[in-house]
Amino acid sequence: MGRYILRRLGFYLIAAWASLTLNFVIPRLAPGDPAAAMFARFEGKVQPEAMGALKAAFGFTDAPLHAQYLTYLKHLAQGDLGMSYAYFPSRVTEVIGTGLMWTVGLAGVAVIISFVVGSFLGVLAAWNRGGWLDSGLAPALSFLGAFPYFWLAMLALYLFGFVLGWFPLRHAYGHDMEPGLSLAFAADVARHAVLPASSIVVATLGGWMLGMRNTMVATLGTDSIRLAHARGLPPRQVMLRYAARNALLPNITSFGMAVGFVLSGSLLTEMVFSYPGTGYLLILAVRNQDYPLMQGLFLAITLAVLAANFAVDLICLWLDPRTRAHA
Amino acid sequence: MRFARALLPLVLLVACSSEPRPRPPGVLFVSVEQQSAWVRNFNPLFAGAGARWPTRAGVYECMEIFSSAQARWVPWLATGHAWSEDQRTLRFTLRDGVLWSDGKPFSADDVVFTFGLLKQHPALDAGGVWRFLADVKAEGRDTVVFSFSRVYLPGFSDLAHQIVVPRHIWKDVADPVTFTNPEPVATGPFTQVTLFRNQVYELGRNPHYWMPGKPKVSALRFLAFPTNDQANMALVEGEVDWAGNFVPAVDRTFVSRDPAHHARWFPLYGSTVFLYPNTTRPPLDDVRVRKALSMALDRDQLVEVAMYGYTRPADATALNDAYSGWKDPEVAKDAWTHYDLDAANKLLDEAGLTRGPDGLRRLKEGQPFALDLEVVSGWSDWVRAGQVVGRDLRKLGITVQLKTYEFGTWFTRLQKGEFQMAISWSLDGPTPYNFYKWLLSPRTVRPVGEVAAANWHRMGDAQADELLVRFERAGTPEEQHALMSQVQQRFSATAPAIPLFPNPSWGESNSLRFTGFPTEQNPYARLAPHAEPDSLLVLTELSPRER
């Protein structure tokens, strides 16, 4: 068991190194010159003679790639992600810091709610096959999930924010609020999170529900469940302890992926609801060829994906006795 | 289900607490930058710094301000200036009694120190002033003397517009290029950072501002809007008082909602938008071909389709309205920017690009005349303009393919001259000197493959350059205007690039809570908050209705 965990850990370390290297290589393969893109932002307000000096200030080097790679690794090891070009001269860590908490909070909570509620609904739907949950809600949710997310979010914003005025139209908290550990602030944050979070939940709930329902149906047909019934165990225990626990495994794996992509995936939510997160930073970084910021964000996403997958491995180990036997 | 029943009251409770938030009186809400979250940076010197608005005209100030709406220089930190007889020395007289926001006096030493920083750190010298300066000295507390290394009158604007920073603070800054200046000490009307969070920041009044009783606005507040849609919604709702957004169908969506208070003013003071032909590629090196392409464009339709009619077609001087005092009316009448398909066809025939039996134009070697037109993907106004251009040129028998690129790629191709045709902006300044220099001067031409900051079409005209060099030394307005007329004639004769339309300078105001915004009737400055340093004129003029 300990050896199994160590082996997985080793695998994740190698994966982390590989993705760090890709992080370094991919932006440099992209066409375009970051200094030129930077200069273009001034649209003629800066005399072109200043371009050489701009390049020097941003520290663009013509050093060979392997030298740049070593510097990159060295700085990374020191936790130094460099300065953002787009937000020059602010540090990448500071720029990412402005939004990381909000993105993780909003999208993280939304993914967890969606996963828990969706999986639970899937279990119920499979247990009562052909009931209203199975034949009504499941198709309805899949239908909603098939809409472009952007459109769904705009619709929610327009209807519940603009027309009915139930929820605020933008931002993570009221701009006259003092952020802190007060109840009023928490309520304000919750109120601001309702629309963006529920739009994510509505868009993704169907997927979790359907996935869970299908594996659950397959599990219910197995001999072990028939045996459990035959032993006269209470139905609720059979449903949750025997069937759902086994059926949950594939969903857990996808949950690991979903959690990992929380950082990048909430881009559209942030655009529609002006939520101060990291998704929009990624777009901006790509547009300005802001390598340091791009690398910083990819690093955060990579680490999140790897950490979530490692956690999933551990959960599967606990849920599924078979993995323990192999270990 | 029990879970849902428990959740419902909570949701309702949260939802029902939604009442409109009271707005603090005297606080002006401004929407200028589109960001998802604010990063604290108030570095006014490094142009590459993503400094928060209005660092460069509102927190900090310059010596004089050119108001393009009034076409004159407004004295600011300096009350005036004088050139020496030989035009090699320029003296600015500084205003008496100006204090920095920490209470220390402002003096000529600060100006000399600032220009010293530019010399020490070329990255800060965005105007390139040390190309023509020899020395900057203080004469007493209130006079700054600039000695020029050569006669260069257009340099005046770079000196007058230079942001001045306090010596007593910046002398201790290790690297002024990478300094984020989180607590600015400045001379401007708004210097106190009273609030800074990721989605909102607020600037309070300078306690020692030199204009008695001003500013009247008690604070500026900035909300983060990541997209134009969000910024426009806040404007329409009345949450934002002053904005510089592109608003589609602005009269219907914004002005008509409250015509008494909602106003927009889009004067044509933005840079002129051009169709740039790569003149290193035949047959675009032939002036007849360039003029023919220009004459095939129905610019009236172009501005209607691409720009919602917010602008007008460009004429043969290509000058925008900020330069209307410089425009030579005779040149403006030149025919090559007027829609005339017959004349265009005739010019192409003359140039030897005859139509084949299929109606398509052929190059001299016999292959069809096809052009790629490059624009930035997602810049919808230019993409639409590109579509209209493509359709119009097809009437001449020229095949045009519209290609859209991500911004960085597009700009690199443009700068290196690796394009056939592209739509892009032009360079500006208080006089048309910079504008024409970067369109026409051989000194700005770089070989294909090498990055050119402008003159992407890669064409120079020796005669125009001679006129521009004479303009650098022309002391009297009469002489300047005569020279600029001749430059316009050279531009019109050589047609190095094809002007499409002047860009509007976007500005919207909501006078429900504040009065004094510039309007077409009271054009003391541009309404666009982006139009620095005009924002200084506006910020010191506005006053709240409520108290």
Side-chain angles (χ1 to χ4, degrees):
Chain A
M1 178 111 159
R3 258 188 54 211
Y4 172 79
I5 294 179
L6 274 181
R7 227 170 45 219
R8 295 306 294 166
L9 210 56
F11 166 76
Y12 282 118
L13 279 179
I14 292 173
W17 170 76
S19 41
L20 289 185
T21 305
L22 282 177
N23 247 355
F24 172 81
V25 175
I26 289 171
R28 283 172 175 75
L29 294 179
D33 171 357
M38 168 62 57
F39 188 78
R41 288 198 300 147
F42 309 119
E43 301 199 359
K45 284 189 213 92
V46 172
Q47 291 306 299
E49 285 86 351
M51 194 136 102
L54 279 179
K55 278 192 168 176
F58 284 113
F60 294 125
T61 60
D62 295 322
L65 269 186
H66 61 89
Q68 289 187 39
Y69 179 61
L70 286 180
T71 328
Y72 164 75
L73 286 185
K74 203 176 87 198
H75 286 173
L76 214 56
Q78 295 162 348
D80 176 9
L81 300 178
M83 269 181 232
S84 158
Y85 301 161
Y87 291 94
F88 193 87
S90 305
R91 309 211 64 85
V92 166
T93 40
E94 188 194 339
V95 174
I96 296 180
T98 61
L100 194 62
M101 194 180 73
W102 293 104
T103 296
V104 171
L106 175 74
V109 167
V111 165
I112 291 171
I113 291 181
S114 181
F115 168 74
V116 171
V117 174
S119 300
F120 188 63
L121 288 176
V123 169
L124 288 181
W127 192 253
N128 307 308
R129 255 176 100 179
W132 69 269
L133 215 54
D134 196 23
S135 55
L137 191 64
L141 283 176
S142 308
F143 181 68
L144 274 179
F147 280 110
Y149 172 76
F150 194 73
W151 185 83
L152 208 66
M154 288 286 257
L155 190 74
L157 181 73
Y158 179 74
L159 207 64
F160 300 107
F162 195 74
V163 176
L164 296 171
W166 289 357
F167 297 103
L169 293 173
R170 61 184 75 89
H171 292 151
Y173 49 87
H175 41 81
D176 47 357
M177 291 297 289
E178 185 64 50
L181 284 173
S182 69
L183 203 63
F185 181 67
D188 195 58
V189 169
R191 203 163 62 81
H192 280 77
V194 170
L195 279 187
S198 47
S199 67
I200 299 179
V201 170
V202 164
T204 54
L205 200 59
W208 296 120
M209 181 173 172
L210 222 62
M212 190 66 198
R213 178 209 171 265
N214 292 345
T215 31
M216 181 81 178
V217 165
T219 317
L220 286 178
T222 57
D223 290 340
S224 59
I225 300 298
R226 243 172 268 143
L227 180 69
H229 278 299
R231 283 175 62 193
L233 290 172
R236 176 176 294 225
Q237 197 181 346
V238 175
M239 177 174 89
L240 294 179
R241 292 266 313 269
Y242 286 71
R245 182 170 166 163
N246 281 325
L248 200 57
L249 288 169
N251 247 23
I252 290 265
T253 313
S254 353
F255 179 66
M257 301 297 290
V259 166
F261 286 108
V262 153
L263 288 186
S264 55
S266 46
L267 163 73
L268 291 177
T269 320
E270 287 168 17
M271 301 265 278
V272 174
F273 298 99
S274 291
Y275 212 80
T278 50
Y280 183 76
L281 292 179
L282 195 58
I283 283 279
L284 210 76
V286 172
R287 210 174 274 160
N288 289 299
Q289 293 176 332
D290 188 343
Y291 295 161
L293 184 56
M294 258 191 262
Q295 281 163 350
L297 286 165
F298 285 140
L299 178 72
I301 294 168
T302 309
L303 294 184
V305 171
L306 292 177
N309 277 292
F310 186 57
V312 161
D313 275 354
L314 295 182
I315 293 174
C316 285
L317 203 61
W318 169 67
L319 276 178
D320 187 354
R322 282 169 299 178
T323 45
R324 260 172 293 177
H326 282 290
Chain B
M1 284 305 98
R2 235 184 311 152
F3 171 69
R5 244 176 277 147
L7 200 66
L8 194 64
L10 184 74
V11 170
L12 286 179
L13 178 85
V14 162
C16 292
S17 59
S18 168
E19 77 283 357
R21 293 174 182 280
R23 287 179 29 138
V27 176
L28 183 80
F29 281 58
V30 191
S31 164
V32 186
E33 306 173 86
Q34 275 164 24
Q35 297 279 346
S36 65
W38 301 123
V39 175
R40 188 162 186 158
N41 173 7
F42 294 96
N43 181 334
L45 288 186
F46 184 43
R52 297 283 69 78
W53 193 90
T55 303
R56 292 171 66 82
V59 179
Y60 289 89
E61 296 179 314
C62 55
M63 289 191 284
E64 293 189 37
I65 295 175
F66 184 75
S67 161
S68 38
Q70 302 173 65
R72 71 180 184 99
W73 285 92
V74 181
W76 211 254
L77 288 178
T79 50
H81 63 268
W83 287 94
S84 68
E85 198 69 33
D86 63 356
Q87 299 178 330
R88 299 281 289 246
T89 314
L90 174 65
R91 276 185 172 73
F92 280 95
T93 310
L94 300 183
R95 190 178 294 279
D96 213 25
V98 174
L99 297 178
W100 293 101
S101 53
D102 60 359
K104 301 235 166 69
F106 160 82
S107 79
D109 282 343
D110 294 309
V111 181
V112 173
F113 172 78
T114 302
F115 279 92
L117 278 182
L118 305 195
K119 191 175 190 178
Q120 227 181 323
H121 304 274
L124 302 181
D125 191 2
V129 296
W130 284 101
R131 280 177 298 133
F132 55 81
L133 280 184
D135 188 34
V136 183
K137 276 200 314 273
E139 269 180 9
R141 286 184 61 93
D142 62 355
T143 306
V144 187
V145 188
F146 292 91
S147 311
F148 283 58
S149 54
R150 62 186 165 99
V151 177
Y152 184 69
L153 297 168
F156 173 78
S157 62
D158 294 308
L159 303 181
H161 273 167
Q162 176 58 47
I163 308 268
V164 183
V165 296
R167 180 172 187 274
H168 67 279
I169 303 284
W170 285 68
K171 70 177 166 44
D172 300 323
V173 171
D175 183 2
V177 177
T178 57
F179 180 46
T180 55
N181 195 23
E183 296 287 348
V185 171
T187 59
F190 296 94
T191 53
Q192 312 304 104
V193 185
T194 47
L195 184 78
F196 205 98
R197 296 198 198 113
N198 61 351
Q199 61 180 33
V200 57
Y201 70 94
E202 190 181 277
L203 294 177
R205 273 192 285 231
N206 177 352
H208 301 285
Y209 196 52
W210 53 271
M211 262 193 235
K214 286 187 172 178
K216 294 203 175 90
V217 171
S218 57
L220 309 175
R221 195 175 279 197
F222 307 89
L223 307 180
F225 302 114
T227 61
N228 216 20
D229 296 331
Q230 274 281 356
N232 287 343
M233 189 149 71
L235 180 72
V236 166
E237 272 180 88
E239 187 168 7
V240 164
D241 302 301
W242 186 21
N245 311 337
F246 167 75
V247 183
V250 66
D251 292 318
R252 182 164 52 81
T253 53
F254 173 62
V255 178
S256 68
R257 279 179 73 100
D258 183 0
H261 300 108
H262 290 188
R264 63 103 171 177
W265 184 34
F266 297 167
L268 303 178
Y269 295 160
S271 76
T272 301
V273 175
F274 279 88
L275 175 66
Y276 286 102
N278 188 338
T279 62
T280 63
R281 302 208 179 187
L284 296 174
D285 56 344
D286 188 333
V287 62
R288 290 172 298 186
V289 175
R290 293 195 298 270
K291 288 192 169 176
L293 298 185
S294 173
M295 293 177 98
L297 302 181
D298 184 351
R299 286 181 178 74
D300 286 313
Q301 209 191 21
L302 186 77
V303 299
E304 207 46 56
V305 172
M307 301 297 292
Y308 293 87
Y310 292 156
T311 179
R312 61 164 169 82
D315 58 41
T317 67
L319 290 174
N320 68 28
D321 289 2
Y323 302 128
S324 47
W326 293 92
K327 189 180 279 189
D328 184 319
E330 287 309 309
V331 179
K333 279 187 215 149
D334 284 359
W336 65 280
T337 50
H338 294 269
Y339 183 51
D340 189 344
L341 267 186
D342 294 339
N345 275 313
K346 222 154 83 200
L347 275 174
L348 287 183
D349 292 340
E350 265 176 54
L353 304 165
T354 47
R355 273 183 196 264
D358 51 0
L360 296 180
R361 294 267 167 195
R362 307 271 158 183
L363 300 179
K364 282 170 196 139
E365 298 79 33
Q367 66 269 52
F369 187 10
L371 290 168
D372 288 341
L373 172 55
E374 307 189 355
V375 290
V376 184
S377 58
W379 290 18
S380 55
D381 45 350
W382 288 8
V383 172
R384 283 194 302 268
Q387 286 162 345
V388 175
V389 168
R391 207 195 47 209
D392 283 349
L393 294 188
R394 258 169 237 134
K395 292 185 209 149
L396 292 179
I398 302 169
T399 321
V400 175
Q401 193 174 3
L402 188 69
K403 293 199 164 168
T404 61
Y405 291 91
E406 192 51 43
F407 177 79
T409 315
W410 168 83
F411 197 57
T412 306
R413 294 175 61 85
L414 186 74
Q415 289 182 312
K416 291 193 171 167
E418 291 163 351
F419 66 98
Q420 295 177 314
M421 284 200 304
I423 293 179
S424 187
W425 58 80
S426 49
L427 300 196
D428 274 331
T431 68
Y433 169 83
N434 266 328
F435 176 73
Y436 284 126
K437 181 178 140 194
W438 285 97
L439 281 169
L440 274 173
S441 167
R443 289 173 288 160
T444 61
V445 178
R446 300 278 170 278
V448 167
E450 196 178 297
V451 167
N455 201 333
W456 303 297
H457 50 288
R458 288 172 155 75
M459 204 191 113
D461 176 57
Q463 285 185 49
D465 201 43
E466 198 204 312
L467 295 164
L468 288 167
V469 170
R470 279 168 63 195
F471 184 86
E472 292 174 5
R473 300 152 179 272
T476 66
E478 294 74 29
E479 202 185 336
Q480 289 176 348
H481 278 86
L483 284 167
M484 219 27 105
S485 278
Q486 292 179 56
V487 173
Q488 291 172 46
Q489 285 161 20
R490 285 311 297 164
F491 173 80
S492 184
T494 56
I498 301 164
L500 298 178
F501 50 82
N503 239 342
S505 132
W506 315 111
E508 298 93 17
S509 61
N510 181 349
S511 57
L512 191 66
R513 297 179 198 88
F514 295 89
T515 57
F517 288 103
T519 59
E520 203 165 351
Q521 290 73 40
N522 180 21
Y524 67 89
R526 283 174 281 185
L527 182 59
H530 314 270
E532 295 169 344
D534 284 30
S535 37
L536 263 172
L537 300 171
V538 182
L539 288 173
T540 48
E541 191 58 37
L542 293 179
S543 59
R545 284 186 199 273
E546 61 204 39
R547 248 304 118 129

